Amino acid sequence: MPHINRIKDAAINPTPEQIEEECRMIRAHWSPEISEKRQKQFRVDTEHQEHKARLRFLRFLAEYAESKS
């Protein structure tokens, strides 16, 4: 399988062009703007999960209070 050998060779002995391309792709995916956007989305997701947990707890309390009365 010659294509596998080329992939292995590129991974072991990358050309300067391959290194530059890899660095460019890494920078494109980890820019400060993208990092900030991911952090904001994580906070929104976390807040949403916390809100759902609080609602579940309030439902539990309401059901518990009803069962005791």
Side-chain angles (χ1 to χ4, degrees):
M1 295 185 187
H3 66 285
I4 299 287
N5 292 336
R6 277 184 288 162
I7 292 170
K8 285 181 182 177
D9 187 50
I12 295 170
N13 300 312
T15 64
E17 293 81 19
Q18 290 169 322
I19 294 171
E20 183 179 332
E21 176 67 15
E22 188 69 25
C23 290
R24 187 183 63 73
M25 291 180 68
I26 290 170
R27 284 192 300 271
H29 286 86
W30 291 102
S31 70
E33 295 83 16
I34 292 173
S35 179
E36 183 178 337
K37 181 180 176 184
R38 287 181 179 154
Q39 288 174 356
K40 285 180 183 177
Q41 185 62 47
F42 177 77
R43 282 194 300 269
V44 167
D45 291 345
T46 302
E47 289 171 2
H48 179 70
Q49 290 173 354
E50 289 173 351
H51 178 69
K52 286 171 52 175
R54 284 191 292 273
L55 288 177
R56 284 194 304 271
F57 182 66
L58 290 174
R59 282 191 208 109
F60 165 76
L61 289 178
E63 290 173 6
Y64 182 77
E66 285 180 9
S67 69
K68 292 296 180 182
S69 57

